[in-house]
Amino acid sequence: MIELQQTWMLPALIAIPFIAGLLCWLVERFNKRLPRWIALIGMMLTFALSLVLWQQGDFSGMSKQVIAPDAAVPWVAEFSVPWIPSFGISFHLALDGLSLMMVALTGLLGVAAVACSWNEIQRRVGFFHLNLLWSLGGVIGVFLAIDLFLFFFFWEMMLVPIYFLIAIWGHDVVGKTKEYAATKFFIYTQASGLIMLIGILVLVIISYAQKGVVSFNYNDLLGTSLGGWEYPIMLCFFIGFAVKLPIIPFHGWLPDAHAQAPTAGSVDLAGVLIKTAAYGLIRFVLPLFPAASQEFAPIAITLGTIGIFYGAWLAFMQTDMKRLLAYTSISHMGFVVLAIYAGTLLSLQGLMIQMLAHGLSSAALFIMAGQLYERLHTRDLTLMGGMWGQFRYYAPILMFFCAALLGIPGTGNFIGEFMILFGSFAQYPVFVIFATFSLVLAGLYSLILIHRALFGENNIAALAERETKSHGLPTRKLKDLGKRELSLLLMLAAGLVWLGLYPQPFLDTSSHAMQWINNAYIYSQVTQVDASQLLDVMEAR
């Protein structure tokens, strides 16, 4: 493993997207194609750097190792310099297996976001890539920051670029403008972020009252005795993360933001942005407030289970392809909530696979929705049909990713969902049974998407002809996927199959991090039970 010493690779992971984004904006006036190449190279460097850290970490076989319940946080790389010493604030980054997987996913989907918008974005190209890369840099900052002030800084900073992506390059839909969707997203997330800030400040003040030192450092705040304040502070954190995830009833911003965002914005939102909320719950809520989290778990899991059915049912009712995919994200995040608050090692490891697989599959489906919109200028499934006979590559690849979304064996979604269900059954059997029934609805909306788009009456050729004529263009044959589009989708498909057939490297990488979180959450109960119950607590793990 990497020795715990100052490594400049961690700030470089954040700096590369910021510098590349700024360069994109500056060179736009000289060449409109250059920003695309700078952004692509910048995200490829970020992804490559995460792979270097993964290789140096030597995580092989770690799932066979057991860490002690009182072990320190298993950081494998760290970087810290003073920032505002008088307030105990430092620029403190740290990396473990959990954050490494999330950073690698962000880098990979950053490459995908740049590639999928290659021809879609034709105006203000440099400023577009500035906002795209700065939002991704902010997301990486969230995954690495362990100073809570720095974490909040990145948490809020990544919202502004997303707002501009939706408001400037988004799509208007009937009855709602892209500015409306962007403003709704910003208000929801900004308000919830301020609630979380209140929780951070109260936590720091209580820690200062006990220790006499002001510190926003995660390691210093762990184990703070909060007494009656633990539950309300935990709720402040929970609301901040629940809106971003989103959990019912805080989900109102997501369908509009997805439906009106450009393709790269949807990839960013579905692939990595909502994963920051799941990461926040795992990294901060469970270890900092274990007793309150355990008390709140039945409520959180109830909301998550409602979200599973609610999202699946509304996805089943949609005719807009992107809104259908947006509601599937709400449904799948219900499984994430179940895994987090079950808190067993198996459910947390399943959560790791589920987040990676959902990031790849949802990003691919939003990319394919964008590709279809480029060709047909519509996302209305009722106008489609017969695509199987029109496209050689697009149709079977769409079918594969729809099958992956419903959790077909051989894909990472299957592994993640079943590890979550098996890992949660001992503690919450009723909720697991309900969640299992929801997989039937997942099959329904996936099959409806496949049927409406790929089979049935052939409307695609006529729709394409009508759209080209309405835009004053000569009638032309409908284009299949090009080499760039095909390579991008096959890369994401290969990742899903790897996760589905051989997930062990990913389980090894996240094992120590998930064991530590499991210990922080489960073993907090030991002080609340008598010695005769200690064995039950350990078996529940």
Side-chain angles (χ1 to χ4, degrees):
M1 289 176 49
I2 303 171
E3 291 184 8
L4 270 183
Q5 56 186 1
Q6 295 281 79
T7 172
W8 284 92
M9 285 193 282
L10 297 189
L13 285 167
I14 301 171
I16 291 172
F18 280 99
I19 294 170
L22 187 60
L23 286 175
C24 291
W25 186 46
L26 294 176
V27 304
E28 179 183 18
R29 66 184 68 184
F30 306 111
N31 187 321
K32 287 193 174 182
R33 292 191 63 83
L34 200 54
R36 296 186 175 98
W37 285 105
I38 293 173
L40 182 63
I41 292 169
M43 291 315 302
M44 289 176 71
L45 284 174
T46 304
F47 180 57
L49 192 57
S50 69
L51 295 182
V52 170
L53 283 163
W54 193 4
Q55 188 272 331
Q56 291 183 356
D58 190 22
F59 294 99
S60 178
M62 282 194 176
S63 57
K64 298 178 182 178
Q65 302 172 11
V66 178
I67 63 174
D70 57 347
V73 190
W75 305 123
V76 293
E78 204 165 0
F79 177 86
S80 181
V81 292
W83 187 11
I84 312 174
S86 57
F87 288 100
I89 298 170
S90 60
F91 191 87
H92 193 176
L93 309 175
L95 183 88
D96 63 359
L98 166 62
S99 47
L100 174 59
M101 290 288 91
M102 292 291 96
V103 169
L105 177 67
T106 306
L108 179 61
L109 294 186
V111 173
V114 173
C116 75
S117 56
W118 203 265
N119 294 326
E120 179 185 5
I121 304 302
Q122 297 295 333
R123 60 190 180 91
R124 306 184 72 177
V125 179
F127 190 52
F128 170 84
H129 287 96
L130 167 77
N131 285 287
L132 178 61
L133 266 65
W134 279 31
S135 68
L136 293 168
V139 168
I140 293 173
V142 165
F143 290 140
L144 295 178
I146 59 166
D147 181 282
L148 264 66
F149 184 87
L150 182 65
F151 171 83
F152 182 77
F153 172 81
F154 283 122
W155 181 264
E156 293 296 297
M157 195 222 71
M158 67 184 178
L159 304 180
V160 178
I162 295 288
Y163 172 86
F164 285 122
L165 285 176
I166 299 172
I168 299 176
W169 295 277
H171 308 286
D172 290 331
V173 296
V174 178
K176 293 178 182 178
T177 65
K178 56 192 178 184
E179 293 82 8
Y180 165 81
T183 304
K184 188 175 183 181
F185 159 77
F186 191 80
I187 290 174
Y188 264 80
T189 50
Q190 181 71 19
S192 62
L194 293 175
I195 293 173
M196 183 170 66
L197 177 62
I198 294 172
I200 292 172
L201 294 176
V202 175
L203 175 62
V204 170
I205 290 170
I206 293 175
S207 175
Y208 169 71
Q210 292 179 9
K211 302 174 183 176
V213 178
V214 179
S215 176
F216 284 80
N217 189 289
Y218 178 74
N219 296 324
D220 295 338
L221 295 173
L222 283 170
T224 302
S225 178
L226 300 172
W229 284 97
E230 182 173 350
Y231 200 89
I233 298 174
M234 182 276 298
L235 283 180
C236 290
F237 277 77
F238 176 81
I239 291 170
F241 297 131
V243 170
K244 188 72 68 67
L245 193 57
I247 297 173
I248 302 293
F250 307 108
H251 67 287
W253 63 272
L254 184 68
D256 290 327
H258 269 313
Q260 280 133 287
T263 303
S266 294
V267 171
D268 195 355
L269 282 168
V272 292
L273 197 76
I274 60 179
K275 307 300 185 298
T276 60
Y279 173 85
L281 288 171
I282 301 166
R283 174 71 72 207
F284 297 104
V285 174
L286 298 192
L288 288 172
F289 319 106
S293 296
Q294 195 73 19
E295 184 181 350
F296 185 70
I299 299 173
I301 292 175
T302 300
L303 294 175
T305 306
I306 293 171
I308 291 173
F309 281 93
Y310 178 81
W313 177 252
L314 286 183
F316 176 75
M317 302 294 290
Q318 299 305 309
T319 57
D320 184 300
M321 190 173 179
K322 285 187 74 173
R323 289 186 74 88
L324 185 154
L325 297 174
Y327 280 113
T328 65
S329 291
I330 295 175
S331 180
H332 282 91
M333 289 307 104
F335 281 94
V336 168
V337 176
L338 174 61
I340 291 171
Y341 280 92
T344 66
L345 183 56
L346 184 59
S347 73
L348 291 173
Q349 287 284 62
L351 167 65
M352 187 76 255
I353 301 297
Q354 174 72 358
M355 289 201 294
L356 294 174
H358 179 267
L360 296 176
S361 58
S362 63
L365 285 166
F366 277 112
I367 289 171
M368 298 196 80
Q371 291 166 343
L372 201 60
Y373 187 80
E374 285 183 33
R375 289 159 171 79
L376 304 178
H377 302 285
T378 184
R379 300 191 303 262
D380 191 342
L381 290 169
T382 60
L383 301 177
M384 299 179 192
M387 204 184 300
W388 190 266
Q390 293 291 319
F391 295 114
R392 182 178 181 181
Y393 299 116
Y394 186 95
I397 292 176
L398 179 65
M399 181 177 285
F400 169 80
F401 284 115
C402 287
L405 194 68
L406 68 87
I408 193 169
T411 62
N413 307 68
F414 174 82
I415 299 294
E417 287 177 0
F418 273 82
M419 286 182 71
I420 289 170
L421 293 174
F422 283 126
S424 307
F425 185 77
Q427 283 84 349
Y428 301 101
V430 175
F431 289 108
V432 169
I433 291 169
F434 278 120
T436 305
F437 277 117
S438 76
L439 296 176
V440 177
L441 287 176
L444 284 176
Y445 62 64
S446 298
L447 292 173
I448 284 175
L449 174 57
I450 291 172
H451 174 72
R452 286 181 173 176
L454 302 185
F455 301 104
E457 187 178 349
N458 188 351
N459 298 319
I460 290 292
L463 177 61
E465 182 179 347
R466 184 168 67 248
E467 287 297 325
T468 52
K469 287 182 177 179
S470 68
H471 286 76
L473 300 171
T475 304
R476 54 185 173 83
K477 187 179 178 181
L478 210 58
K479 288 177 60 179
D480 201 353
L481 296 176
K483 291 181 180 179
R484 171 183 55 85
E485 297 168 318
L486 192 58
S487 301
L488 172 60
L489 293 172
L490 289 178
M491 175 184 70
L492 298 175
L496 277 174
V497 173
W498 185 10
L499 281 167
L501 298 181
Y502 187 51
Q504 194 60 49
F506 305 95
L507 297 174
D508 284 343
T509 303
S510 62
S511 176
H512 279 194
M514 292 308 190
Q515 282 188 56
W516 183 86
I517 290 162
N518 170 243
N519 290 338
Y521 183 49
I522 297 296
Y523 283 100
S524 67
Q525 289 9 255
V526 175
T527 58
Q528 303 170 32
V529 298
D530 58 35
S532 65
Q533 294 174 294
L534 178 57
L535 183 60
D536 293 337
V537 173
M538 295 181 70
E539 288 178 348
R541 183 187 171 207

